[in-house]
Amino acid sequence: MSDAENRTTFAVTYVYGGPADVLAARRPEHREYLGGLVAQGDLLASGPFEDDGAPGALLVFAAEDAAAVERLTDEDPLVRHGVVTERTVRPWKVVLGRVG
């Protein structure tokens, strides 16, 4: 990835719909992968939703474009193993506060 000034913030939502046993089995690998993205500066924050809505998560990335975010999330073990059944990638403009 390039310098921070050339990067946009993206909000990514995951919906989990794959088998619960696969989610449980792959969660450690998923978290290790995301931890690497945090260390690289690509992933600013992530975590699961904790309400009664559809199971899923929010991930906040800094990247050059949406295609870069899609490539990074394509390699997420939960995506590769079919646990993530829906994924959205949207540019997100932080107006108040900060992330990361």
Side-chain angles (χ1 to χ4, degrees):
M1 296 276 150
S2 65
D3 296 331
E5 63 269 5
N6 295 329
R7 296 175 9 141
T8 299
T9 303
F10 290 89
V12 176
T13 55
Y14 281 177
V15 174
Y16 301 146
D21 60 329
V22 177
L23 171 61
R26 297 295 177 175
R27 183 177 286 126
E29 186 182 355
H30 158 75
R31 289 189 175 162
E32 182 178 341
Y33 176 72
L34 294 183
L37 296 180
V38 169
Q40 291 173 188
D42 296 324
L43 180 62
L44 304 177
S46 71
F49 295 118
E50 291 192 321
D51 60 8
D52 293 333
L58 173 68
L59 302 91
V60 180
F61 285 86
E64 291 180 14
D65 55 34
V69 175
E70 289 172 2
R71 285 190 299 275
L72 290 170
T73 57
D74 282 346
E75 296 303 315
D76 184 335
L78 294 187
V79 173
R80 288 189 294 113
H81 292 280
V83 173
V84 175
T85 56
E86 294 179 42
R87 170 184 61 178
T88 61
V89 177
R90 298 176 66 186
W92 184 46
K93 181 178 181 179
V94 179
V95 176
L96 297 173
R98 65 181 187 179
V99 177

